[in-house]
Each structure stands twice: as structure tokens, then as C-alpha cells.
Amino acid sequence: MSIDKFDTVISIYGGASYIEPTAIGKIKDLLKEGGRFFIMFYKDDYEPVTHQMAKGKVELKSNKFTDYMPFFRAISENVIFKEWHNYIIAEGTV
């Protein structure tokens, strides 16, 4: 069984902060050769309003962006990290 590969992987507004850092390695399996990724994470010191509102009611845990960096470096030689407001963006090609 073959798996379709994609041209682009996109995750915006911090959603990727909830996946396990090791899952970043799977991006390479999802993308065609030369495929691009654009993924936004919460900055390490940022607490989303949803976390503030749910305190004591629901356990919400996001990972630190620094935990993801080695996995990005392993899948792409040209990954670029940018800051934008409360986010860090990882962008590159595989």
C-alpha cells in the first residue's frame, strides 16, 4: 500500500504545540521531495487564553518549542525559525 505524498504541510496558530516532538520526523514521510512545511508553535513563555480559562478544570499541556528544534534539524537542512507575535514559525523544505 502506498501513501500519497503532499506538496505542503501547514499547521497554524500553535496547534502543533500539542503534538509530541518526535512526530515532527513524520513530516518528511508526508512530503514529496522538495515539499514545503510551515508550522507555527507557541513561544515557550506564552500561555494561551484557553489555558488560562481552563485552569483547574481541564489539564491542557503544550510542549516547549525548544523540544522540537532537533527534530526539525534532522528532517531539513534549510529549516528557518522566525518569531511572530506569540509564535515561533518553522519553515523549510525536505
Coordinates of all heavy atoms in Angstrom, one line a residue:
M1 N 0.8 -1.2 0.0 CA 0.0 0.0 0.0 C 0.9 1.2 0.0 O 1.8 1.4 0.8 CB -0.9 0.0 1.3 CG -1.8 1.2 1.3 SD -2.9 1.0 2.7 CE -2.3 2.2 3.8
S2 N 0.7 2.1 -0.9 CA 1.4 3.4 -1.0 C 0.7 4.5 -0.3 O -0.5 4.5 -0.3 CB 1.8 3.7 -2.4 OG 0.6 4.1 -3.1
I3 N 1.4 5.4 0.2 CA 0.8 6.6 0.9 C 1.0 7.8 0.0 O 2.1 8.0 -0.5 CB 1.5 6.8 2.3 CG1 1.2 5.6 3.2 CG2 1.0 8.1 2.9 CD1 1.9 5.7 4.5
D4 N 0.0 8.5 -0.3 CA 0.1 9.7 -1.0 C 1.0 10.7 -0.3 O 1.0 10.8 0.9 CB -1.3 10.4 -1.3 CG -2.2 9.6 -2.2 OD1 -1.6 8.9 -3.1 OD2 -3.4 9.7 -2.1
K5 N 1.8 11.4 -1.1 CA 2.7 12.4 -0.5 C 2.1 13.8 -1.0 O 1.5 13.9 -2.0 CB 4.1 12.2 -1.0 CG 4.7 10.9 -0.5 CD 6.1 11.0 -0.2 CE 6.6 9.7 0.4 NZ 7.7 9.9 1.2
F6 N 2.5 14.8 -0.2 CA 1.9 16.1 -0.3 C 3.0 17.1 -0.7 O 4.1 16.9 -0.4 CB 1.2 16.5 0.9 CG 0.1 15.6 1.3 CD1 0.3 14.5 2.2 CD2 -1.2 15.7 0.8 CE1 -0.7 13.7 2.6 CE2 -2.2 14.8 1.1 CZ -2.0 13.8 2.0
D7 N 2.5 18.2 -1.3 CA 3.4 19.3 -1.6 C 3.7 20.2 -0.4 O 4.8 20.7 -0.3 CB 2.8 20.2 -2.7 CG 2.6 19.5 -4.0 OD1 3.5 18.7 -4.4 OD2 1.5 19.7 -4.7
T8 N 2.8 20.3 0.5 CA 2.9 21.2 1.6 C 2.2 20.7 2.9 O 1.2 20.0 2.8 CB 2.2 22.6 1.3 OG1 2.6 23.0 0.0 CG2 2.4 23.6 2.3
V9 N 2.9 20.9 4.0 CA 2.3 20.7 5.3 C 2.2 22.0 6.0 O 3.2 22.7 6.1 CB 3.2 19.7 6.1 CG1 2.7 19.6 7.6 CG2 3.1 18.3 5.5
I10 N 1.0 22.3 6.5 CA 0.8 23.6 7.2 C 0.1 23.3 8.5 O -0.9 22.6 8.6 CB -0.1 24.5 6.4 CG1 0.6 24.9 5.1 CG2 -0.4 25.8 7.1 CD1 -0.3 25.6 4.1
S11 N 0.5 24.0 9.6 CA -0.2 24.0 10.9 C 0.0 25.4 11.4 O 1.1 25.9 11.6 CB 0.5 23.0 11.8 OG -0.2 23.1 13.1
I12 N -1.1 26.1 11.7 CA -1.1 27.5 12.1 C -1.6 27.7 13.5 O -2.3 26.8 14.0 CB -1.8 28.4 11.1 CG1 -3.3 28.0 10.9 CG2 -1.1 28.3 9.7 CD1 -4.1 29.0 10.1
Y13 N -1.2 28.8 14.1 CA -1.7 29.3 15.4 C -1.5 28.3 16.6 O -2.4 28.2 17.4 CB -3.2 29.8 15.3 CG -3.3 30.9 14.2 CD1 -4.0 30.7 13.1 CD2 -2.7 32.1 14.5 CE1 -4.1 31.7 12.1 CE2 -2.7 33.1 13.5 CZ -3.5 32.9 12.4 OH -3.5 33.9 11.4
G14 N -0.4 27.7 16.6 CA 0.0 27.0 17.8 C -0.5 25.6 18.0 O -0.1 24.9 18.9
G15 N -1.3 25.1 17.0 CA -1.9 23.7 17.2 C -0.8 22.7 17.3 O -0.9 21.7 18.0
A16 N 0.3 22.9 16.6 CA 1.4 21.9 16.6 C 2.1 21.8 18.0 O 2.8 20.8 18.2 CB 2.5 22.2 15.5
S17 N 1.9 22.7 18.8 CA 2.5 22.7 20.2 C 1.9 21.6 21.0 O 2.4 21.3 22.1 CB 2.2 24.0 20.9 OG 2.9 25.1 20.2
Y18 N 0.9 20.9 20.5 CA 0.2 19.8 21.3 C 0.6 18.5 20.8 O 0.3 17.5 21.4 CB -1.3 20.0 21.2 CG -1.8 21.3 21.9 CD1 -2.1 22.4 21.1 CD2 -1.9 21.4 23.2 CE1 -2.5 23.5 21.7 CE2 -2.3 22.6 23.8 CZ -2.6 23.6 23.1 OH -3.0 24.8 23.6
I19 N 1.4 18.4 19.7 CA 1.8 17.1 19.3 C 3.2 16.7 19.9 O 3.9 17.6 20.3 CB 1.9 17.0 17.7 CG1 3.0 17.9 17.2 CG2 0.6 17.2 17.1 CD1 3.3 17.7 15.7
E20 N 3.5 15.5 20.0 CA 4.8 15.1 20.6 C 5.9 15.5 19.6 O 5.8 15.4 18.4 CB 4.8 13.5 20.7 CG 3.9 13.0 21.8 CD 4.3 13.6 23.2 OE1 5.6 13.7 23.5 OE2 3.4 14.0 24.0
P21 N 7.0 16.0 20.2 CA 8.1 16.5 19.4 C 8.6 15.5 18.4 O 9.0 15.8 17.2 CB 9.2 16.9 20.4 CG 8.4 17.3 21.6 CD 7.2 16.3 21.6
T22 N 8.6 14.2 18.7 CA 9.1 13.1 17.8 C 8.3 13.0 16.6 O 8.8 12.5 15.6 CB 9.2 11.8 18.6 OG1 7.9 11.5 19.1 CG2 10.2 11.8 19.7
A23 N 7.0 13.5 16.6 CA 6.1 13.4 15.5 C 6.6 14.3 14.3 O 6.2 14.1 13.2 CB 4.7 13.7 15.8
I24 N 7.5 15.2 14.6 CA 8.0 16.1 13.5 C 8.7 15.3 12.5 O 8.7 15.6 11.3 CB 8.9 17.2 14.2 CG1 8.1 18.1 15.1 CG2 9.6 18.0 13.1 CD1 6.9 18.8 14.4
G25 N 9.4 14.3 12.9 CA 10.1 13.4 11.9 C 9.2 12.8 10.8 O 9.6 12.5 9.7
K26 N 7.9 12.7 11.1 CA 7.0 12.1 10.1 C 6.7 13.1 9.0 O 6.1 12.7 8.0 CB 5.7 11.7 10.8 CG 5.9 10.6 11.8 CD 4.6 10.2 12.5 CE 5.0 9.3 13.6 NZ 4.7 8.0 13.7
I27 N 7.0 14.4 9.2 CA 6.7 15.4 8.1 C 7.5 14.9 6.9 O 6.9 15.0 5.8 CB 7.2 16.8 8.6 CG1 6.2 17.3 9.6 CG2 7.2 17.7 7.4 CD1 6.7 18.6 10.3
K28 N 8.7 14.4 7.0 CA 9.5 14.0 5.9 C 8.8 12.9 5.1 O 8.9 12.8 3.9 CB 10.9 13.6 6.3 CG 11.9 13.5 5.2 CD 13.3 13.4 5.7 CE 14.2 13.5 4.6 NZ 15.6 13.5 5.1
D29 N 8.1 12.0 5.8 CA 7.4 10.9 5.2 C 6.1 11.4 4.5 O 5.7 10.7 3.5 CB 7.0 9.9 6.2 CG 8.2 9.2 7.0 OD1 9.2 9.2 6.3 OD2 8.0 8.8 8.1
L30 N 5.6 12.5 4.9 CA 4.3 13.0 4.3 C 4.6 13.9 3.0 O 3.7 14.0 2.2 CB 3.6 13.9 5.3 CG 3.0 13.1 6.5 CD1 2.5 14.1 7.5 CD2 1.9 12.2 6.1
L31 N 5.8 14.4 2.9 CA 6.0 15.4 1.8 C 6.8 14.8 0.7 O 7.6 13.9 0.8 CB 6.9 16.6 2.4 CG 6.1 17.5 3.3 CD1 7.1 18.5 3.9 CD2 5.1 18.3 2.5
K32 N 6.4 15.2 -0.5 CA 7.2 14.9 -1.7 C 8.6 15.5 -1.6 O 8.8 16.4 -0.8 CB 6.5 15.5 -3.0 CG 5.1 14.9 -3.2 CD 4.5 15.6 -4.4 CE 3.1 15.1 -4.7 NZ 2.4 15.9 -5.8
E33 N 9.5 15.0 -2.4 CA 10.9 15.6 -2.5 C 10.7 17.1 -2.8 O 10.1 17.4 -3.8 CB 11.7 14.9 -3.5 CG 13.1 15.3 -3.6 CD 13.9 14.9 -2.4 OE1 13.6 13.9 -1.8 OE2 14.9 15.7 -2.0
G34 N 11.3 17.9 -2.0 CA 11.2 19.4 -2.2 C 10.0 20.0 -1.6 O 9.7 21.2 -1.8
G35 N 9.1 19.1 -1.0 CA 7.9 19.7 -0.3 C 8.2 20.6 0.8 O 9.3 20.6 1.4
R36 N 7.3 21.6 1.0 CA 7.5 22.6 2.0 C 6.6 22.4 3.2 O 5.6 21.8 3.2 CB 7.1 24.0 1.3 CG 7.9 24.3 0.1 CD 7.6 25.7 -0.4 NE 7.6 26.7 0.6 CZ 8.7 27.3 1.0 NH1 9.9 27.0 0.5 NH2 8.7 28.3 1.9
F37 N 7.1 22.9 4.3 CA 6.3 22.9 5.6 C 6.4 24.3 6.2 O 7.3 25.1 6.0 CB 6.8 21.9 6.6 CG 8.3 22.0 7.0 CD1 8.7 22.9 8.0 CD2 9.3 21.3 6.3 CE1 10.0 23.0 8.4 CE2 10.6 21.4 6.7 CZ 11.0 22.3 7.7
F38 N 5.2 24.7 6.8 CA 5.1 25.9 7.5 C 4.3 25.6 8.8 O 3.1 25.3 8.7 CB 4.3 26.9 6.6 CG 4.1 28.3 7.3 CD1 5.0 29.3 7.0 CD2 3.0 28.5 8.1 CE1 4.8 30.6 7.6 CE2 2.8 29.8 8.7 CZ 3.7 30.8 8.4
I39 N 5.0 25.7 9.9 CA 4.3 25.2 11.2 C 4.6 26.2 12.3 O 5.7 26.7 12.5 CB 4.9 23.8 11.6 CG1 4.7 22.9 10.4 CG2 4.3 23.4 12.9 CD1 5.3 21.5 10.7
M40 N 3.5 26.6 12.9 CA 3.5 27.7 14.0 C 3.3 27.0 15.3 O 2.4 26.2 15.5 CB 2.4 28.7 13.8 CG 2.5 29.5 12.5 SD 1.1 30.5 12.2 CE 1.3 31.8 13.4
F41 N 4.2 27.4 16.3 CA 4.2 26.9 17.6 C 4.1 28.1 18.6 O 4.5 29.2 18.2 CB 5.5 26.2 18.0 CG 5.8 25.0 17.2 CD1 6.4 25.0 15.9 CD2 5.5 23.7 17.7 CE1 6.7 23.9 15.2 CE2 5.7 22.6 16.9 CZ 6.3 22.7 15.7
Y42 N 3.5 27.8 19.8 CA 3.5 28.9 20.8 C 5.0 29.1 21.2 O 5.8 28.2 21.3 CB 2.7 28.4 22.0 CG 1.3 28.2 21.8 CD1 0.6 27.1 22.2 CD2 0.5 29.2 21.1 CE1 -0.7 26.9 22.0 CE2 -0.9 29.0 20.9 CZ -1.5 27.8 21.3 OH -2.8 27.7 21.1
K43 N 5.3 30.3 21.6 CA 6.6 30.6 22.2 C 6.6 30.0 23.6 O 5.6 29.8 24.2 CB 6.8 32.1 22.4 CG 7.1 32.8 21.1 CD 7.4 34.3 21.4 CE 7.7 35.0 20.1 NZ 8.0 36.5 20.4
D44 N 7.8 29.6 24.0 CA 7.9 28.9 25.3 C 7.3 29.6 26.5 O 6.8 29.0 27.4 CB 9.4 28.6 25.6 CG 9.9 27.5 24.7 OD1 9.1 26.8 23.9 OD2 11.1 27.2 24.8
D45 N 7.3 31.0 26.5 CA 6.8 31.7 27.6 C 5.4 32.2 27.5 O 4.9 32.9 28.3 CB 7.7 32.9 27.9 CG 7.8 33.9 26.7 OD1 7.4 33.5 25.6 OD2 8.3 35.0 26.9
Y46 N 4.7 31.7 26.4 CA 3.3 32.2 26.1 C 2.3 31.2 26.7 O 2.4 30.0 26.5 CB 3.1 32.3 24.6 CG 1.7 32.7 24.2 CD1 1.2 33.9 24.6 CD2 1.0 31.8 23.5 CE1 -0.1 34.2 24.2 CE2 -0.3 32.1 23.1 CZ -0.9 33.3 23.5 OH -2.2 33.6 23.1
E47 N 1.3 31.7 27.4 CA 0.2 30.9 27.8 C -1.1 31.3 27.1 O -1.6 32.4 27.3 CB 0.0 31.0 29.4 CG -1.1 30.1 29.9 CD -1.3 30.3 31.4 OE1 -1.0 31.3 31.9 OE2 -1.8 29.3 32.0
P48 N -1.6 30.4 26.3 CA -2.8 30.8 25.5 C -4.0 31.1 26.5 O -4.1 30.5 27.5 CB -3.1 29.5 24.7 CG -1.8 28.8 24.7 CD -1.1 29.1 25.9
V49 N -4.9 31.9 26.0 CA -6.0 32.3 26.8 C -6.9 31.0 27.2 O -7.5 30.9 28.2 CB -6.9 33.4 26.2 CG1 -7.6 32.8 24.9 CG2 -7.9 33.9 27.1
T50 N -6.9 30.0 26.3 CA -7.6 28.8 26.5 C -7.1 28.1 27.7 O -7.8 27.5 28.5 CB -7.6 27.9 25.3 OG1 -6.3 27.7 24.9 CG2 -8.5 28.4 24.2
H51 N -5.8 28.2 27.9 CA -5.1 27.5 29.1 C -5.5 28.3 30.4 O -5.8 27.7 31.4 CB -3.6 27.5 29.0 CG -3.1 26.5 28.0 ND1 -2.0 25.8 28.1 CD2 -3.7 26.0 26.8 CE1 -1.8 25.0 27.1 NE2 -2.8 25.1 26.3
Q52 N -5.5 29.6 30.3 CA -5.9 30.5 31.4 C -7.3 30.2 31.8 O -7.6 30.1 33.0 CB -5.7 31.9 31.1 CG -4.3 32.3 30.8 CD -4.2 33.7 30.1 OE1 -5.1 34.5 30.1 NE2 -3.0 34.0 29.6
M53 N -8.2 30.1 30.9 CA -9.6 29.9 31.2 C -9.9 28.5 31.8 O -10.8 28.3 32.6 CB -10.5 30.1 29.9 CG -10.5 31.5 29.5 SD -11.2 31.8 27.9 CE -12.9 31.1 28.2
A54 N -9.1 27.5 31.4 CA -9.3 26.1 31.8 C -8.6 25.7 33.1 O -8.8 24.6 33.5 CB -8.9 25.2 30.6
K55 N -7.8 26.6 33.6 CA -7.0 26.3 34.8 C -7.9 25.6 35.9 O -8.9 26.2 36.3 CB -6.3 27.5 35.4 CG -5.0 27.7 34.7 CD -4.1 28.5 35.5 CE -2.7 28.5 34.8 NZ -2.0 29.7 34.7
G56 N -7.5 24.5 36.4 CA -8.2 23.8 37.4 C -9.4 23.0 36.9 O -10.0 22.2 37.7
K57 N -9.8 23.2 35.7 CA -10.9 22.4 35.1 C -10.5 21.3 34.2 O -11.1 20.3 34.2 CB -11.8 23.4 34.4 CG -12.4 24.5 35.3 CD -13.2 25.5 34.5 CE -13.5 26.7 35.4 NZ -14.0 27.8 34.6
V58 N -9.6 21.7 33.3 CA -9.1 20.7 32.3 C -7.6 20.8 32.3 O -7.0 21.9 32.3 CB -9.6 21.1 30.9 CG1 -9.1 20.2 29.8 CG2 -11.2 21.1 30.9
E59 N -6.9 19.6 32.1 CA -5.5 19.6 32.0 C -5.1 19.9 30.6 O -5.5 19.1 29.7 CB -4.9 18.3 32.5 CG -3.4 18.3 32.4 CD -2.8 16.9 32.8 OE1 -3.5 16.1 33.4 OE2 -1.6 16.8 32.6
L60 N -4.5 21.0 30.3 CA -4.0 21.3 29.0 C -2.5 21.5 29.0 O -2.0 22.3 29.8 CB -4.7 22.6 28.5 CG -6.2 22.6 28.2 CD1 -6.7 24.0 27.9 CD2 -6.5 21.7 27.0
K61 N -1.8 20.8 28.2 CA -0.4 20.8 28.2 C 0.1 21.0 26.8 O -0.3 20.3 25.9 CB 0.2 19.5 28.8 CG 1.7 19.6 28.8 CD 2.3 18.2 29.3 CE 3.7 18.2 29.3 NZ 4.3 18.0 28.0
S62 N 0.9 22.0 26.6 CA 1.6 22.2 25.3 C 3.1 22.0 25.6 O 3.6 22.2 26.7 CB 1.3 23.6 24.7 OG 1.7 24.6 25.5
N63 N 3.8 21.6 24.5 CA 5.2 21.3 24.6 C 6.0 22.6 24.4 O 5.5 23.5 23.8 CB 5.6 20.3 23.6 CG 5.0 18.9 23.9 OD1 5.2 18.3 24.9 ND2 4.1 18.5 22.9
K64 N 7.2 22.6 24.9 CA 8.1 23.8 24.7 C 8.6 23.7 23.2 O 9.0 22.6 22.8 CB 9.2 23.8 25.7 CG 8.8 23.9 27.1 CD 8.3 25.3 27.4 CE 7.9 25.5 28.8 NZ 7.2 26.7 29.0
F65 N 8.7 24.8 22.6 CA 9.2 24.8 21.2 C 10.7 24.2 21.1 O 11.0 23.5 20.2 CB 9.2 26.2 20.5 CG 9.8 26.2 19.2 CD1 9.1 25.6 18.1 CD2 11.0 26.7 19.0 CE1 9.7 25.5 16.9 CE2 11.6 26.6 17.7 CZ 10.9 26.0 16.7
T66 N 11.5 24.6 22.1 CA 12.9 24.1 22.1 C 12.9 22.6 22.0 O 13.9 22.0 21.5 CB 13.6 24.6 23.3 OG1 12.8 24.3 24.5 CG2 13.8 26.1 23.2
D67 N 11.9 21.9 22.4 CA 11.9 20.4 22.3 C 11.8 19.9 20.9 O 12.1 18.8 20.6 CB 10.7 19.8 23.1 CG 10.9 20.0 24.6 OD1 12.0 20.3 25.1 OD2 9.8 20.0 25.3
Y68 N 11.2 20.8 20.0 CA 11.0 20.4 18.6 C 12.2 20.6 17.7 O 12.4 20.0 16.7 CB 9.8 21.2 18.0 CG 8.5 20.8 18.7 CD1 8.0 21.6 19.7 CD2 7.8 19.8 18.2 CE1 6.8 21.3 20.3 CE2 6.5 19.5 18.7 CZ 6.1 20.2 19.8 OH 4.8 19.9 20.3
M69 N 13.1 21.6 18.1 CA 14.2 22.0 17.2 C 15.1 20.9 16.7 O 15.3 20.9 15.5 CB 15.0 23.1 17.9 CG 14.2 24.4 18.0 SD 15.1 25.7 18.8 CE 16.2 26.2 17.4
P70 N 15.5 20.0 17.5 CA 16.4 18.9 17.0 C 15.7 18.1 15.9 O 16.4 17.6 15.0 CB 16.8 18.1 18.2 CG 16.2 18.7 19.4 CD 15.3 19.9 19.0
F71 N 14.4 17.9 16.0 CA 13.7 17.1 15.1 C 13.6 17.8 13.7 O 13.6 17.2 12.7 CB 12.3 16.7 15.6 CG 12.5 15.8 16.8 CD1 12.3 16.4 18.1 CD2 12.8 14.5 16.7 CE1 12.5 15.6 19.2 CE2 12.9 13.7 17.8 CZ 12.8 14.2 19.1
F72 N 13.4 19.1 13.7 CA 13.4 19.9 12.5 C 14.7 19.9 11.8 O 14.8 19.7 10.6 CB 12.9 21.4 12.8 CG 11.5 21.5 12.8 CD1 10.8 21.8 14.0 CD2 10.7 21.4 11.6 CE1 9.5 22.0 14.0 CE2 9.3 21.6 11.7 CZ 8.7 21.9 12.9
R73 N 15.8 20.0 12.6 CA 17.1 20.0 12.0 C 17.4 18.6 11.4 O 18.2 18.5 10.4 CB 18.2 20.3 13.1 CG 18.0 21.7 13.7 CD 19.2 22.5 13.6 NE 19.0 23.8 14.3 CZ 18.7 24.9 13.7 NH1 18.5 24.9 12.4 NH2 18.6 26.0 14.4
A74 N 16.8 17.6 11.9 CA 17.0 16.2 11.3 C 16.3 16.0 10.0 O 16.7 15.2 9.2 CB 16.6 15.1 12.3
I75 N 15.2 16.7 9.8 CA 14.4 16.5 8.5 C 14.7 17.5 7.5 O 14.4 17.3 6.3 CB 12.9 16.5 8.8 CG1 12.4 17.9 9.2 CG2 12.5 15.4 9.7 CD1 10.9 18.0 9.1
S76 N 15.4 18.6 7.8 CA 15.6 19.7 6.8 C 16.9 20.4 7.1 O 17.1 20.9 8.2 CB 14.4 20.6 6.8 OG 14.7 21.7 5.8
E77 N 17.7 20.5 6.1 CA 19.0 21.3 6.3 C 18.7 22.8 6.2 O 19.5 23.6 6.7 CB 20.0 20.9 5.2 CG 20.5 19.5 5.3 CD 21.4 19.1 4.1 OE1 21.7 20.0 3.3 OE2 21.8 17.9 4.1
N78 N 17.6 23.1 5.6 CA 17.4 24.6 5.4 C 16.2 25.1 6.2 O 15.5 26.1 5.8 CB 17.1 24.9 3.9 CG 15.9 24.2 3.4 OD1 15.2 23.5 4.1 ND2 15.6 24.5 2.1
V79 N 15.9 24.5 7.3 CA 14.8 25.0 8.2 C 15.1 26.4 8.7 O 16.3 26.7 9.1 CB 14.4 24.0 9.3 CG1 15.6 23.8 10.3 CG2 13.2 24.5 10.1
I80 N 14.1 27.3 8.7 CA 14.3 28.6 9.2 C 13.3 28.8 10.3 O 12.1 28.4 10.2 CB 14.0 29.7 8.0 CG1 14.9 29.5 6.9 CG2 14.0 31.1 8.6 CD1 14.5 30.3 5.7
F81 N 13.7 29.4 11.4 CA 12.9 29.7 12.5 C 12.7 31.2 12.6 O 13.6 32.0 12.6 CB 13.5 29.2 13.8 CG 13.8 27.7 13.8 CD1 15.1 27.2 13.8 CD2 12.7 26.8 13.8 CE1 15.3 25.9 13.7 CE2 12.9 25.4 13.8 CZ 14.2 25.0 13.8
K82 N 11.4 31.6 12.7 CA 11.1 33.0 12.8 C 10.1 33.3 13.9 O 9.4 32.4 14.3 CB 10.3 33.5 11.5 CG 11.0 33.2 10.2 CD 10.1 33.6 9.0 CE 10.8 33.2 7.7 NZ 9.9 33.5 6.6
E83 N 10.2 34.5 14.5 CA 9.2 34.8 15.6 C 8.2 35.8 15.0 O 8.5 36.6 14.2 CB 9.9 35.5 16.7 CG 10.8 34.5 17.5 CD 11.4 35.2 18.7 OE1 10.7 36.0 19.3 OE2 12.5 34.8 19.1
W84 N 6.9 35.5 15.4 CA 5.8 36.4 15.0 C 4.8 36.4 16.2 O 4.3 35.4 16.5 CB 5.2 35.9 13.8 CG 4.1 36.8 13.3 CD1 4.2 38.0 12.7 CD2 2.7 36.5 13.3 NE1 2.9 38.5 12.3 CE2 2.0 37.5 12.7 CE3 1.9 35.4 13.8 CZ2 0.6 37.6 12.6 CZ3 0.6 35.4 13.6 CH2 -0.1 36.5 13.1
H85 N 4.7 37.6 16.8 CA 3.8 37.8 17.9 C 4.1 36.7 19.0 O 5.2 36.7 19.5 CB 2.3 37.8 17.5 CG 2.0 39.0 16.6 ND1 1.8 40.2 17.1 CD2 1.9 39.0 15.3 CE1 1.6 41.1 16.1 NE2 1.6 40.4 15.0
N86 N 3.1 35.9 19.3 CA 3.3 34.8 20.4 C 3.7 33.5 19.8 O 3.5 32.5 20.5 CB 2.0 34.7 21.2 CG 1.6 35.9 21.9 OD1 2.4 36.6 22.5 ND2 0.3 36.3 21.8
Y87 N 4.2 33.5 18.6 CA 4.5 32.2 17.9 C 5.9 32.2 17.4 O 6.6 33.2 17.2 CB 3.6 32.1 16.7 CG 2.1 32.2 17.0 CD1 1.4 33.3 16.9 CD2 1.5 31.1 17.5 CE1 0.1 33.4 17.3 CE2 0.1 31.1 17.9 CZ -0.6 32.3 17.8 OH -1.9 32.4 18.1
I88 N 6.4 30.9 17.2 CA 7.6 30.7 16.5 C 7.2 29.8 15.3 O 6.5 28.9 15.4 CB 8.6 29.9 17.4 CG1 9.0 30.8 18.6 CG2 9.9 29.5 16.5 CD1 10.0 30.1 19.5
I89 N 7.7 30.2 14.1 CA 7.4 29.6 12.9 C 8.6 28.8 12.5 O 9.7 29.3 12.4 CB 7.0 30.6 11.8 CG1 5.8 31.4 12.3 CG2 6.8 29.9 10.5 CD1 5.5 32.6 11.4
A90 N 8.4 27.5 12.1 CA 9.4 26.7 11.5 C 9.0 26.5 10.0 O 7.9 26.1 9.7 CB 9.5 25.3 12.2
E91 N 9.9 26.9 9.1 CA 9.6 26.9 7.7 C 10.7 26.3 6.9 O 11.9 26.6 7.2 CB 9.3 28.3 7.3 CG 8.9 28.5 5.8 CD 8.6 29.9 5.5 OE1 8.8 30.8 6.3 OE2 8.1 30.1 4.4
G92 N 10.4 25.5 5.9 CA 11.5 24.9 5.1 C 11.0 23.9 4.1 O 9.8 23.8 3.9
T93 N 12.0 23.2 3.5 CA 11.7 22.1 2.6 C 12.4 20.9 3.0 O 13.4 20.9 3.7 CB 12.1 22.5 1.1 OG1 13.5 22.8 1.1 CG2 11.4 23.7 0.6
V94 N 11.9 19.7 2.4 CA 12.6 18.5 2.7 C 13.2 17.9 1.4 O 12.9 18.4 0.4 CB 11.6 17.4 3.3 CG1 11.1 17.9 4.6 CG2 10.5 17.1 2.4

